[in-house]
């Protein structure tokens, strides 16, 4: 893809973020997913508008693209986002199997306007029992039985 198209798609992501700020619907973040030179999904931050802490621009764009294409795998598609993805969005991008991430502002730029994702990045590096939100495993034989049932199921759809 040529530089002109990259600029066009990034400009759209920035436009979505700017529109969101103007409407006061959430944070200044927008994202566009592109496949074969065509926009297949768009999203903007809707955390405060929808009372959903997972409604980040990248997640919304992934949801939109998957709905539009009726798939859960976006292999071969790229995402253009107005800011470097937070840990949640980065994980969602990996789960969606997106090919390339193009971003404008950095996580440091986001921190400068009080969106500090660095705390979460640091938490992931810690042992689960040492995180700000402690994690404790409760062993349950029934839970493993469900895993075994799924693994043995004919026709399961792997993802």
């Amino acid at each position: 893809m040529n530089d002109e198209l990259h600029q066009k798609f990034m400009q759209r992501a920035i436009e979505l973020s700017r529109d969101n700020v103007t409407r006061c619907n959430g944070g200044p973040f927008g994202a566009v997913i592109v496949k074969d030179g065509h926009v297949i999904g768009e999203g903007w931050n809707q955390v405060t508008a929808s009372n959903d802490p997972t409604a980040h621009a990248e997640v919304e764009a992934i949801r939109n693209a998957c709905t539009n294409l009726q798939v859960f795998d976006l292999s071969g598609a790229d995402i253009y986002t107005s800011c470097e993805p937070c840990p949640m969005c980065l994980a969602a991008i990996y789960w969606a199997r997106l090919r390339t991430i193009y971003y404008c502002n950095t996580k440091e730029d986001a921190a400068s306007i009080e969106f500090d994702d660095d705390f979460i990045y640091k938490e992931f590096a810690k042992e689960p029992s040492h995180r700000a939100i402690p994690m404790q495993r409760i062993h349950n034989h029934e839970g493993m039985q469900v895993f075994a049932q799924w693994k043995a199921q004919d026709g399961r759809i792997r993802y």
Side-chain angles (χ1 to χ4, degrees), residues 6 18-19 65 72 86 88 112:
H6 285 305
R18 182 179 292 114
D19 289 348
F72 59 83
C86 76
M88 177 186 69
S112 75

Side-chain angles (χ1 to χ4, degrees), residues 44-102:
W44 48 91
N45 183 286
Q46 298 180 51
V47 170
T48 58
S50 66
N51 294 316
D52 178 355
T54 69
H56 289 201
E58 297 89 341
V59 171
E60 292 297 310
I62 289 168
R63 290 173 179 161
N64 184 242
C66 288
T67 297
N68 289 340
L69 298 183
Q70 294 295 294
V71 300
F72 59 83
D73 183 330
L74 296 172
S75 294
D78 303 312
I79 188 165
Y80 293 79
T81 180
S82 63
C83 189
E84 183 176 359
C86 76
M88 177 186 69
C89 293
L90 186 58
I93 288 165
Y94 274 93
W95 276 113
R97 311 275 192 278
L98 292 169
R99 180 175 57 191
T100 307
I101 302 167
Y102 299 98

Side-chain angles (χ1 to χ4, degrees), residues 77-150:
D78 303 312
I79 188 165
Y80 293 79
T81 180
S82 63
C83 189
E84 183 176 359
C86 76
M88 177 186 69
C89 293
L90 186 58
I93 288 165
Y94 274 93
W95 276 113
R97 311 275 192 278
L98 292 169
R99 180 175 57 191
T100 307
I101 302 167
Y102 299 98
Y103 65 95
C104 186
N105 298 320
T106 67
K107 62 183 179 181
E108 292 80 16
D109 296 329
S112 75
I113 60 165
E114 300 175 358
F115 286 93
D116 191 4
D117 302 332
D118 194 47
F119 166 76
I120 299 170
Y121 280 106
K122 288 177 181 174
E123 284 290 296
F124 286 171
K126 295 178 182 177
E127 289 294 320
S129 61
H130 293 102
R131 294 179 180 156
I133 300 175
M135 295 175 63
Q136 182 177 349
R137 182 176 183 210
I138 299 175
H139 184 70
N140 185 338
H141 181 68
E142 283 185 78
M144 290 305 296
Q145 287 176 336
V146 175
F147 275 23
Q149 180 183 352
W150 183 84

